[in-house]
Amino acid sequence: MRKIVAGKLHGIHVTEANLDYHGSITLDPDHCEEAGILPMEFVEIWNKNSGARISTYVILGKRGSRCCILNGAAARTCQPGDQVIICNSVYVHEREITVLKPRVLTFDKDNRIVDHLTYSVEQDAVGGYGFSILDEARNALPVPALVGRQ
């Protein structure tokens, strides 16, 4: 079994840091549903501003609020306005890697969804892997390591 990215909220902005609540991250249910993140699921959080990396579980806030609230100890790692990446994961057998299609959402400064992306792994005839980032129309986008080398 391998731990693989299942969904991601990329570049969402922290709306509040609540040190006095007893833990977790509070997210808008709309964002969670679109990315495939479940309530009570453990997620990794990576702060793009500070580089801090933490793990906590998700609780659902008010639908449509576009909230991203770090609670309890997690509130020490982020400040309102910080951009974070929130990622859930699943364990799959390697043979299932081409079936998994993680959903990735990107955000503007008001936590409105800008892009709905999909990660895709393909396997060639000799067993090698390829990776693609697909937009909503299923068009392949440039992969950063490949930009300028294609």
Side-chain angles (χ1 to χ4, degrees), residues 46-117:
W46 307 312
N47 187 320
K48 290 177 71 175
N49 293 63
S50 71
R53 292 174 170 254
I54 63 166
S55 175
T56 193
Y57 60 95
V58 173
I59 61 174
L60 300 179
K62 182 179 175 189
R63 188 171 296 278
S65 66
R66 300 189 311 270
C67 67
C68 177
I69 305 168
L70 279 293
N71 302 304
R76 295 256 186 228
T77 67
C78 300
Q79 299 297 312
D82 284 357
Q83 267 193 313
V84 295
I85 300 165
I86 302 166
C87 180
N88 67 342
S89 56
V90 294
Y91 287 93
V92 298
H93 288 281
E94 185 175 341
R95 66 183 174 272
E96 298 172 303
I97 187 72
T98 58
V99 177
L100 188 66
K101 302 297 181 205
R103 293 173 280 175
V104 179
L105 307 178
T106 66
F107 296 86
D108 68 11
K109 65 180 180 59
D110 296 315
N111 287 347
R112 288 185 183 89
I113 299 169
V114 174
D115 292 305
H116 293 79
L117 307 173

Side-chain angles (χ1 to χ4, degrees), residues 118 122 131-135 137-143 150:
T118 304
E122 305 85 26
F131 175 78
S132 300
I133 302 170
L134 307 173
D135 65 15
R138 311 286 300 157
N139 297 312
L141 301 174
V143 176
Q150 296 178 349

